[in-house]
């Protein structure tokens, strides 16, 4: 069956030889020089006019090497140290092809890693000094709220959302403040008709907003609303989450 490849599809003569060996299912360690030479010459003859003269010189040089190797098989000579010059030259060609195979496999692996790295984003750490306050004023929350349990539930929720956040390739460069996020979530809070978990509440937000920074700021915003009795936050140990309920100032 005639090959559907063109010379421009290859990186050089060794690439052609390696592909021929795979396609024809040849044993690379016990190379059939006659078959390889015939297949290579036929392919080069049909495609030599599709590349430049400079590029063609490499392929023609390999063709000459294969023809010479084929002739040495027909009329072998003995080397000084014993063994035939045909076996020596054949083994040298096999070594070249195997070395090229290793380089090509390594190149393919590195390209896959490059593509993976290209889909990742990084940025310098945020400067948090602007949020530092000279006077530390503790947030006073309603007595029924257990801060430690809420933080534990928040950590569990963040872990649940980690996979979807990693799959979201978009990077949002947006300054967030508790006040800004309160404005975002207040309309959603006012629509709460029944107990809603924090995880379900995040699902009501636009997908592009779901990132770690926004989740944490949303949590702080809900604490502020709880302080104002607009919402109640109750830890639900059965699902490692916390429930958002309407507060007395939101009924």
């Amino acid at each position: 069956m005639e090959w559907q490849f063109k010379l421009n599809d290859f990186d050089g003569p060794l690439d052609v030889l390696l592909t021929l060996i795979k396609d024809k299912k040849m044993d690379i360690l016990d190379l059939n020089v006659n078959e390889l030479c015939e297949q290579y010459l036929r392919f080069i003859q049909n495609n030599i006019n599709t590349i430049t003269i400079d590029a063609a010189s490499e392929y023609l040089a390999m063709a000459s090497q294969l023809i010479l190797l084929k002739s040495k098989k027909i009329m072998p000579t003995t080397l000084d140290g014993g063994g035939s010059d045909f076996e020596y030259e054949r083994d040298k060609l096999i070594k070249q092809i195997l070395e090229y195979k290793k380089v090509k496999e390594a190149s393919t692996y590195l390209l896959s890693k490059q593509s993976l790295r290209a889909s990742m984003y990084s940025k310098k750490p945020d400067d948090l000094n602007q949020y530092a306050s000279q006077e530390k004023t503790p947030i006073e929350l309603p007595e029924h709220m257990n801060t430690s349990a809420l933080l534990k539930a928040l950590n569990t929720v963040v872990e649940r959302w980690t996979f979807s956040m990693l799959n979201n390739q978009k990077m949002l460069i947006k300054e967030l403040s508790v006040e800004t996020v309160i404005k975002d979530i207040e309309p959603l809070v006012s629509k709460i008709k029944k107990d809603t978990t924090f995880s379900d509440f995040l699902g009501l937000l636009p997908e592009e907003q779901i990132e770690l920074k926004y989740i944490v700021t949303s949590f702080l915003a809900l604490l502020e609303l709880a302080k104002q009795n607009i919402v109640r936050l109750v830890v639900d140990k059965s699902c490692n989450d916390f429930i958002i309920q309407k507060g007395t100032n939101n009924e």
Side-chain angles (χ1 to χ4, degrees):
M1 186 175 71
E2 196 68 27
W3 254 19
Q4 299 301 316
F5 296 106
K6 301 296 180 184
L7 277 179
N8 287 326
D9 298 330
F10 298 96
D11 294 326
L14 288 174
D15 198 17
V16 175
L17 290 178
L18 181 60
T19 307
L20 276 170
I21 290 170
K22 289 181 179 178
D23 187 69
K24 303 302 179 183
K25 295 181 173 56
M26 300 182 193
D27 184 354
I28 194 171
L29 298 177
D30 187 22
L31 206 54
N32 187 329
V33 174
N34 288 342
E35 183 180 359
L36 184 61
C37 181
E38 290 174 7
Q39 295 288 347
Y40 180 86
L41 292 176
R42 184 181 300 117
F43 178 66
I44 296 301
Q45 182 180 0
N46 293 337
N47 292 275
I48 198 66
N49 294 326
T50 62
I51 57 175
T52 64
I53 294 177
D54 290 338
S57 61
E58 286 186 81
Y59 293 97
L60 292 175
M62 179 58 72
S64 300
Q65 182 179 340
L66 288 171
I67 292 172
L68 180 61
L69 186 58
K70 185 177 179 180
S71 67
K72 287 183 177 181
K73 182 180 181 181
I74 298 172
M75 300 179 62
T77 57
T78 303
L79 299 174
D80 293 339
S84 69
D85 59 345
F86 163 73
E87 291 175 348
Y88 173 78
E89 294 295 337
R90 184 192 63 178
D91 292 346
K92 190 165 75 170
L93 176 62
I94 290 173
K95 185 178 179 181
Q96 282 182 293
I97 296 172
L98 289 174
E99 288 296 324
Y100 175 79
K101 183 173 181 287
K102 290 179 182 178
V103 171
K104 186 171 183 178
E105 289 173 350
S107 175
T108 301
Y109 173 78
L110 291 174
L111 283 173
S112 68
K113 290 297 181 183
Q114 182 185 32
S115 299
L116 178 62
R117 183 64 184 86
S119 67
M120 299 179 182
Y121 303 92
S122 61
K123 70 181 186 70
K124 293 181 179 179
D126 292 331
D127 181 7
L128 301 180
N129 290 328
Q130 57 182 313
Y131 302 109
S133 174
Q134 296 297 329
E135 297 182 2
K136 304 296 184 181
T137 304
I139 299 177
E140 296 181 2
L141 297 174
E143 294 181 0
H144 71 273
M145 291 176 56
N146 185 326
T147 308
S148 298
L150 281 173
L151 289 175
K152 184 178 179 181
L154 172 65
N155 186 58
T156 303
V157 171
V158 169
E159 289 179 355
R160 289 176 186 163
W161 281 87
T162 297
F163 182 75
S164 62
M165 287 189 293
L166 289 176
N167 280 335
N168 185 1
Q169 302 291 338
K170 298 179 182 178
M171 179 184 235
L172 300 178
I173 308 298
K174 181 180 178 181
E175 292 298 327
L176 288 176
S177 66
V178 173
E179 292 75 15
T180 301
V181 176
I182 286 177
K183 291 179 181 179
D184 287 347
I185 67 176
E186 269 187 328
L188 298 176
V189 169
S190 63
K191 294 177 182 179
I192 292 177
K193 296 181 179 179
K194 59 179 181 179
D195 295 353
T196 303
T197 65
F198 185 47
S199 296
D200 290 340
F201 183 78
L202 291 174
L204 300 175
L205 298 171
E207 184 180 350
E208 63 272 12
Q209 289 184 204
I210 303 301
E211 56 166 345
L212 180 58
K213 189 174 181 180
Y214 199 93
I215 290 176
V216 174
T217 311
S218 297
F219 175 72
L220 296 176
L222 287 170
L223 289 180
E224 181 62 32
L225 293 176
K227 179 182 174 183
Q228 300 171 25
N229 286 319
I230 295 175
V231 298
R232 283 169 49 88
L233 304 180
V234 181
V235 175
D236 185 349
K237 296 181 179 180
S238 65
C239 61
N240 290 324
D241 207 331
F242 60 87
I243 304 297
I244 304 170
Q245 302 173 336
K246 282 190 175 183
T248 55
N249 292 335
N250 187 30
E251 294 179 342

